[in-house]
Structure formats: structure tokens, C-alpha cells
Amino acid sequence: PIINFPANIYCNNERNAILTAVESMLAKQLGLQPNITAGLKYIIEESVDNIIEHSESERGYIFSQSYPTKKYLDICIADSGITLLGSYQKAGRVDIVNHLLAIEAANSGVSTKNLPEAENRGYGIATSKKMLVDGLSGNYVMLSGNALYLKTQTIEKFVSLPGEANWKGTIIAVRIPYINENFNYIQYIE
């Protein structure tokens, strides 16, 4: 089923309990190796953290589907918030004026958290993609507003969608092959 979780920063305990249950259920049902489970948890938690910190959505959503004969798992994590563009605009980024520029910025590490007393963050999406695509040979899709981003081992593409094709919020969809003896998630952590 589609599982929804609170995206409010003050509901950490409830959200963590839901996410831990989802991660544990996936690991147990699929018999995931511990190395794959660690990568899966990182990718899910990073996506959920971005919803909490940036989307202004009341709820987030997660759905997964496994394909046991093909040995991969699809996970979709979504919100109905202010989109990547809205997050950049709220942070005062006047140079990011449309959804395509926003999705390009997010996927190149441009953070909305440029704090004078801290380093410019923005590693989470890049780390998740590198872990997923390079480490696990998976696929990564991001949709925000009318902009779409696709990253596989052979394709990296940014696209503005036509006409009414638009999502008010952000969707992350990942395909994770879950048999990989050599994967070590520590190699991908920034």
C-alpha cells in the first residue's frame, strides 16, 4: 500500500517508527543482504529528510514494489509541497526561475541551506544517486513541477515536460537491484 507519514519536523518519533517499519519489512520480505539494506535506508532517509526540510507538505508518501524474479525493487517517495522551485525561491535564489533550473540545481548540489557559519551542504541527493547508480547499478528519477530528471548508468537527462504535465510537489522514484555482493555503502558517504 501507499504509506503516508507526517512531514512535520515535530513528528520525528512517529515518522521514524513508520520508516523503520517500512525498511525492516522490505529487508525481511526480500531477504536483503545487510550491505543493500544500509544503502536502501540511506536513500529512503535522505529523500524523506528533504521532504521534511524543504517541501512544506503536511504528509509524505512512500510506496514500494518488488520484482523477485528480476531481483529489483522500485520505491517511490513523494510529497505535494512547494516543489524544488518553490524551495529555492523561498530561500531567495532569484537566479532559479523555473522548474528545470531548480531540478538542475538540486541535482548538481546547489543547496538552499547556504549558511555563513556552515559549509554549503547539498550532498544528499548526489550521494544517493551515486550510491544507487554507481554502487547498486540502479536507476534514479526525480519529478518536480514540470521538470523531470533521469539518471542511469548510461543516461543522464533533464527535461521540461509539455503542457499540463506537472506535479505540485516532488517525486523521487528509484529502482534498486538487490543482489550485489560487492556493494559497500560506506564508499559512497560524503
Side-chain angles (χ1 to χ4, degrees):
I2 296 174
I3 299 168
N4 74 76
F5 55 87
N8 183 313
I9 196 165
Y10 303 107
C11 295
N12 282 332
N13 291 340
E14 179 184 348
R15 179 177 44 259
N16 290 341
I18 292 168
L19 293 176
T20 298
V22 167
E23 293 161 353
S24 297
M25 180 177 59
L26 289 172
K28 184 175 180 179
Q29 285 182 353
L30 299 174
L32 298 181
Q33 303 162 299
N35 62 334
I36 305 295
T37 301
L40 173 72
K41 290 175 97 167
Y42 181 90
I43 293 165
I44 290 172
E45 290 171 9
E46 180 59 39
S47 297
V48 168
D49 285 349
N50 283 337
I51 290 172
I52 294 160
E53 294 173 14
H54 302 289
S55 76
E56 296 187 9
S57 182
E58 289 184 26
R59 311 287 301 174
Y61 305 90
I62 186 168
F63 173 80
S64 66
Q65 174 71 44
S66 68
Y67 300 87
T69 58
K70 296 180 179 180
K71 302 293 185 215
Y72 64 76
L73 170 68
D74 287 343
I75 298 176
C76 181
I77 300 170
D79 67 66
S80 56
I82 63 173
T83 71
L84 294 170
L85 176 60
S87 182
Y88 282 113
Q89 288 175 336
K90 185 176 178 188
R93 293 298 303 259
V94 296
D95 57 320
I96 300 175
V97 296
N98 60 46
H99 292 293
L100 186 61
L101 289 173
I103 207 165
E104 288 172 349
N107 281 282
S108 64
V110 177
S111 177
T112 60
K113 298 180 183 177
N114 294 330
L115 305 173
E117 69 279 355
E119 68 175 292
N120 182 10
R121 297 176 28 130
Y123 296 123
I125 293 172
T127 301
S128 292
K129 286 187 312 188
K130 188 173 183 181
M131 183 182 298
L132 175 66
V133 176
D134 297 343
L136 291 165
S137 302
N139 301 330
Y140 183 89
V141 176
M142 177 184 277
L143 173 69
S144 186
N146 71 340
L148 178 75
Y149 171 72
L150 171 66
K151 174 79 171 149
T152 70
Q153 289 185 311
T154 58
I155 299 169
E156 183 169 35
K157 193 165 193 168
F158 294 93
V159 179
S160 284
L161 300 175
E164 285 86 42
N166 191 358
W167 175 258
K168 185 174 176 356
T170 302
I171 298 173
I172 304 294
V174 297
R175 174 161 287 171
I176 305 171
Y178 55 82
I179 302 295
N180 188 329
E181 302 282 330
N182 300 320
F183 173 71
N184 181 355
Y185 85 102
I186 294 294
Q187 294 176 330
Y188 299 93
I189 303 296
E190 297 280 337

